[in-house]
């Protein structure tokens, strides 16, 4: 005999699985039709559901965008940290920062739909909730902490941890990703004409904020 708690767990698991499936299908639709062209009717059709059934899980299209934003923010942050963890020379803050950012850029190129939702205003009027935006804020703080570590190690000048430097760093990185999508959207991260410049962009940032004793 199935106990009430087991029944609730089973229902909760099925609900989580259905939510994940809805989000996966939504990304499929957005990949084919455009990020701003998400259709709940099309998502329901592909899942074999009646459109009103989706409202049991998401009350609106904006709610799906919001859930995808949170999912993307978590995943890109995790990809950056995982890439950094693979860096053998863990004592070198700049080497760790380089792999941290490389993991970020690679994830962006491999996940174009979520990247557009995260970093470009592709959906008119959409604003993520504070809860969904929180992982993005945390990721930016991770970047700041790594810049501060490089400063503490004497590899970068103190200005490298300033808000201006953080803004410049993100502009350089996002510019590479945007150029790749605009010009070679189907190229791999390794073969992309612009993504191949990620190490060069990183070196430019280092040169801009090199310690004074290293600039002569």
């Amino acid at each position: 005999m199935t106990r009430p708690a087991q029944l609730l767990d089973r229902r909760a698991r099925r609900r989580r699985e259905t939510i994940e499936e809805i989000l996966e299908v939504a990304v499929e639709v957005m990949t084919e039709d455009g990020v701003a062209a998400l259709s709940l009717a099309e998502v329901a059709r592909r899942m074999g559901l009646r459109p009103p059934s989706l409202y049991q899980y998401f009350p609106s299209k904006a709610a799906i965008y919001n859930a995808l934003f949170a999912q993307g923010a978590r995943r890109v942050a995790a990809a950056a940290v995982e890439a950094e963890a693979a860096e053998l020379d863990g004592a070198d803050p700049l080497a760790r920062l380089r792999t941290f950012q490389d993991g970020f850029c690679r994830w962006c190129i491999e996940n174009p739909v979520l990247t557009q939702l995260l970093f470009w205003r592709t959906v008119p009027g959409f604003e993520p909730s504070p809860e969904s935006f929180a992982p993005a804020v945390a990721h930016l703080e991770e970047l700041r902490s790594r810049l501060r570590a490089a400063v503490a190690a004497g590899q970068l000048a103190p200005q490298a941890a300033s808000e201006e430097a953080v803004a410049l760093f993100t502009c350089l990185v996002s510019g590479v990703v945007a150029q790749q999508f605009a010009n070679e959207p189907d190229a791999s991260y390794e073969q992309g004409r612009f993504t191949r410049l990620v190490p060069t962009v990183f070196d430019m940032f280092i040169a801009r904020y090199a310690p004074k004793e290293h600039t002569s």
Side-chain angles (χ1 to χ4, degrees), residues 7 10 13 38 62 72 86 98 102-103 115 135 143 148 156 165 169 173 181 201-202 204 208 213:
L7 183 60
R10 188 179 303 168
R13 184 173 63 252
L38 177 61
R98 188 184 293 273
D102 186 72
T115 295
L143 171 60
R148 290 193 293 266
L156 294 175
F169 191 90
V173 171
F181 281 144
V201 166
F202 191 86
M204 290 170 61
R208 171 69 178 83
E213 61 267 26

Side-chain angles (χ1 to χ4, degrees), residues 1-13 16:
M1 180 177 180
T2 302
R3 297 178 180 178
Q6 293 175 323
L7 183 60
L8 288 174
D9 288 343
R10 188 179 303 168
R11 288 176 177 173
R13 184 173 63 252
R16 287 195 303 270

Side-chain angles (χ1 to χ4, degrees), residues 123-179:
V123 182
F126 169 68
E127 292 285 347
S129 67
E131 293 77 14
S132 292
F133 196 68
V137 174
H139 176 76
L140 195 59
E141 184 53 36
E142 291 284 350
L143 171 60
R144 291 190 183 97
S145 71
R146 283 152 180 78
L147 290 170
R148 290 193 293 266
V151 169
Q155 294 177 306
L156 294 175
Q159 294 83 358
S162 67
E163 287 304 302
E164 179 179 274
V166 172
L168 175 61
F169 191 90
T170 56
C171 283
L172 290 171
V173 171
S174 63
V176 169
V177 173
Q179 283 287 80

Side-chain angles (χ1 to χ4, degrees), residues 42-108:
E42 178 60 17
V43 172
R45 185 189 70 78
R46 295 190 185 196
M47 294 184 64
L49 299 174
R50 293 171 57 86
S53 298
L54 288 182
Y55 292 106
Q56 299 178 34
Y57 305 95
F58 294 99
S60 65
K61 184 163 61 174
I64 292 182
Y65 282 131
N66 194 58
L68 286 172
F69 189 101
Q71 183 186 82
R74 291 192 302 268
R75 289 181 177 178
V76 71
V81 171
E82 288 171 6
E84 179 190 32
E87 171 58 46
L88 297 179
D89 188 3
D92 185 341
L94 276 185
R96 294 184 61 185
L97 177 60
R98 188 184 293 273
T99 54
F100 177 83
Q101 202 55 48
D102 186 72
F104 173 91
C105 291
R106 180 183 296 276
W107 185 93
C108 288

Side-chain angles (χ1 to χ4, degrees), residues 102-123:
D102 186 72
F104 173 91
C105 291
R106 180 183 296 276
W107 185 93
C108 288
I109 295 301
E110 294 175 352
N111 297 271
V113 167
L114 293 181
T115 295
Q116 291 177 59
L117 185 63
L118 285 170
F119 304 114
W120 300 321
R121 292 184 177 272
T122 50
V123 182

